[in-house]
Each structure stands twice: as C-alpha cells, then as structure tokens.
Amino acid sequence: MFEKMMGYANHLGLFSEEIDPTGRQLGKFPQACTHLALIDATLTLDKALDTR
C-alpha cells in the first residue's frame, strides 16, 4: 500500500490534498498535511520493520 501511495506523487515527488480513484491529484497543491502524514507513515513503517 505504501509503494502504491508513492506512485501517486507527481514528477517532483509532491502530493495534492486529495487523490481521486483514477490517481488524479485534486485540491490544494502542494499540501503540507499530506506530506507530514507520509513522513509519519514512513517512520512508523520503518520502525515496525526494524522490530521484526
């Protein structure tokens, strides 16, 4: 799921506020809250994989 989400970034690696079912970016761009959530998910996933 994480890799799929990363595939929705634009050519600069940025995300908008929302992504529609086809993968098109909608809403405000770039969106800081989306990027902060992605950073948090990355750190959480990294920690979970390290403890395995």
Side-chain angles (χ1 to χ4, degrees):
M1 185 185 302
F2 181 81
E3 289 177 5
K4 183 177 181 180
M5 180 62 196
M6 293 304 296
Y8 291 125
N10 73 0
H11 66 287
L12 298 174
L14 299 174
F15 295 90
S16 66
E17 189 173 25
E18 298 179 44
I19 299 172
D20 76 4
T22 66
R24 186 176 64 165
Q25 295 196 27
L26 307 170
K28 297 176 189 169
F29 182 85
Q31 180 55 275
C33 292
T34 303
H35 292 93
L36 290 173
L38 182 62
I39 291 167
D40 183 56
T42 303
L43 294 172
T44 302
L45 182 59
D46 185 57
K47 184 177 178 181
L49 291 173
D50 282 347
T51 60
R52 282 177 126 192

